[in-house]
Amino acid sequence: MTSQIIPVDPFDFIIFGGTGDLSERKLLPSLYYRQRDHQFSEPTRIIGTSRSKMSDEEFQAFAKQAISDHVKPADIDAKELKTFLARLSYVSADATSGAGFDKLKKAIGDSDRIRAFYLAVAPALFGDISHKLKEHNLITPNSRIVLEKPIGRDLDSARKLNDLVGDDFHESQIFRIDHYLGKETVQNLMALRFANALYEPLWNSAHIDHVQITVAETVGLEDRVTYYDKAGALRDMVQNHMLQLLCLVAMEAPSSMDADAVRDEKLKVLRALKRINGNEAPKHTVRGQYRAGASAGGPVKGYVEELGKESNTETFVAIKAEIGNWRWSGVPFYLRTGKRLATRVSEIVIEFKPIPHSIFGDSAG
């Protein structure tokens, strides 16, 4: 499957948490790539907002440094970068007090073009921001609100957050984002499975021995100390990114590529996952935490040293999962993810069953 660049209508993109880690490492570099690939139409604007006091020029300098740090040098085009930075402006606003939202409204103006509010902030602020947008009449029929994970800590808190945002935005305006699904290789899974007459007939328990899904990172906490210790590897990676990958590997063919049709097939997989009770947990799961050692040719601190206090939060987790349906009965799915591992890798391994008998002998490999 070849990616296709489709220019989009002009829009306003407002980043709450515009000076934060997610904006720096992911959003601004990704938006720059959209500029470089000529996907923006004029007059598309990007407005950063957070509590920090900052001028437009300072925010543009912040974005320039972020792109320098997180985009390959060969991908940086000086002309496109200059055009991209000219799109950027900044408004200081406080989601809890509402200070600055009048300035944000003035900066956005009265245009009826699409405006996307991207919440790159802690989930505790989702409701406050949503309500302030409504109070200041910033929500139009062409508005979108984008929620980054984690959407709550558990089922109860997730429902409360969805209700808070749902009080202000229609469900069709709410986008819950898992950025792993934007990776080209992940998107190609659909084509590999459902546009391939060779593999799809073999994609079942009769031919597949097991599936391994690995997301390994070499980095430690970096700038995510406060968030990560409350989440851990299980909440940070498994319940969103890795389960999405599992669903793409295991789901039945949707009736179409419509979002609801794909979602319905994913839900069938999640509902078919066998529960792991307390007695089975030691046999089917592993939790760990990295300690002091060496990485990238130099010494590194352990998790608790980086955190500055004792903690039982896991930085590594491995799970043996099973799907109780006709296609996958008896096929284990091994999920593993962690920080400070030897190699940075994201991969899905489909291990097919061996042939009944090899005529080539053991030395043939």
Side-chain angles (χ1 to χ4, degrees):
M1 181 183 292
T2 303
S3 59
Q4 185 179 6
I5 305 299
I6 303 174
V8 297
D9 293 333
F11 64 96
D12 290 332
F13 193 84
I14 300 94
I15 306 174
F16 285 90
T19 58
D21 178 68
L22 178 63
S23 177
E24 176 190 349
R25 293 190 303 112
K26 299 292 185 181
L27 298 183
L28 290 170
S30 297
L31 289 166
Y32 162 74
Y33 274 114
R34 298 304 93 224
Q35 170 70 48
R36 191 201 64 167
D37 291 340
H38 308 292
Q39 196 164 12
F40 292 150
S41 303
E42 299 301 336
T44 291
R45 301 181 300 173
I46 299 168
I47 303 172
T49 180
S50 68
R51 288 181 297 177
S52 304
K53 301 295 183 181
M54 186 178 287
S55 66
D56 291 349
E57 292 74 18
E58 289 172 326
F59 183 59
Q60 290 167 359
F62 170 82
K64 184 176 182 180
Q65 187 62 51
I67 291 165
S68 175
D69 291 343
H70 301 289
V71 173
K72 296 177 182 178
D75 290 343
I76 297 178
D77 180 287
K79 181 180 177 181
E80 295 296 345
L81 178 58
K82 182 178 180 180
T83 303
F84 174 72
L85 294 175
R87 297 188 188 280
L88 272 57
S89 61
Y90 184 84
V91 176
S92 176
D94 189 318
T96 53
S97 69
F101 273 77
D102 286 333
K103 292 181 180 179
L104 180 61
K105 182 177 181 179
K106 183 177 180 180
I108 295 174
D110 297 325
S111 170
D112 63 353
R113 62 173 169 263
I114 291 173
R115 55 183 68 167
F117 301 103
Y118 200 111
L119 274 54
V121 297
L125 295 174
F126 287 179
D128 289 333
I129 293 174
S130 178
H131 295 340
K132 293 297 187 297
L133 292 173
K134 184 176 182 179
E135 288 172 11
H136 290 80
N137 297 315
L138 282 162
I139 302 174
T140 68
N142 282 331
S143 292
R144 320 275 192 266
I145 189 167
V146 184
L147 309 180
E148 264 279 358
K149 62 95 173 173
I151 301 175
R153 179 174 174 80
D154 50 28
L155 179 60
D156 183 57
S157 59
R159 283 174 170 166
K160 288 179 180 177
L161 285 176
N162 281 318
D163 288 343
L164 286 171
V165 177
D167 287 341
D168 306 315
F169 288 84
H170 188 270
E171 176 60 29
S172 63
Q173 296 176 297
I174 303 172
F175 291 77
R176 301 164 186 86
I177 294 297
D178 189 323
H179 55 259
Y180 251 68
L181 300 183
K183 294 178 180 290
E184 187 173 3
T185 305
V186 174
Q187 294 182 8
N188 285 343
L189 271 173
M190 297 284 281
L192 175 69
R193 288 202 53 198
F194 303 124
N196 194 313
L198 176 64
Y199 284 120
E200 183 55 23
L202 307 177
W203 210 265
N204 54 56
S205 60
H207 302 283
I208 292 177
D209 182 77
H210 66 269
V211 177
Q212 300 180 44
I213 303 176
T214 304
V215 180
E217 300 179 86
T218 57
V219 298
L221 283 182
E222 294 184 302
D223 297 323
R224 306 173 72 209
V225 175
T226 304
Y227 159 72
Y228 196 88
D229 195 54
K230 295 178 181 178
L234 190 63
R235 285 186 172 92
D236 185 49
M237 291 296 298
V238 175
Q239 63 88 23
N240 40 66
H241 302 326
M242 300 195 76
L243 285 183
Q244 288 280 5
L245 296 178
L246 182 148
C247 287
L248 288 173
V249 171
M251 65 189 241
E252 298 297 325
S255 59
S256 70
M257 285 298 290
D258 176 76
D260 288 344
V262 174
R263 178 205 59 196
D264 290 346
E265 296 304 328
K266 288 181 178 179
L267 284 174
K268 292 177 184 177
V269 174
L270 295 175
R271 288 168 178 154
L273 281 171
K274 293 185 178 180
R275 291 179 177 268
I276 300 175
N277 62 37
N279 295 328
E280 295 171 333
K283 295 187 294 183
H284 296 293
T285 66
V286 175
R287 296 170 71 245
Q289 186 184 94
Y290 66 82
R291 296 187 176 181
S295 179
V300 293
K301 295 179 179 180
Y303 178 79
V304 294
E305 287 80 19
E306 289 184 320
L307 186 63
K309 63 179 181 180
E310 291 296 320
S311 173
N312 291 323
T313 299
E314 78 283 353
T315 63
F316 173 87
V317 63
I319 299 172
K320 178 185 178 183
E322 293 185 61
I323 300 172
N325 62 20
W326 276 36
R327 182 185 286 266
W328 296 111
S329 180
V331 177
F333 282 71
Y334 298 104
L335 314 179
R336 52 181 172 243
T337 183
K339 291 187 175 293
R340 284 277 184 249
L341 297 179
T343 306
R344 181 176 183 268
V345 62
S346 298
E347 66 178 15
I348 299 173
V349 176
I350 311 296
E351 183 76 21
F352 284 86
K353 292 180 178 179
I355 57 175
H357 172 70
S358 174
I359 63 174
F360 301 105
D362 295 337
S363 61

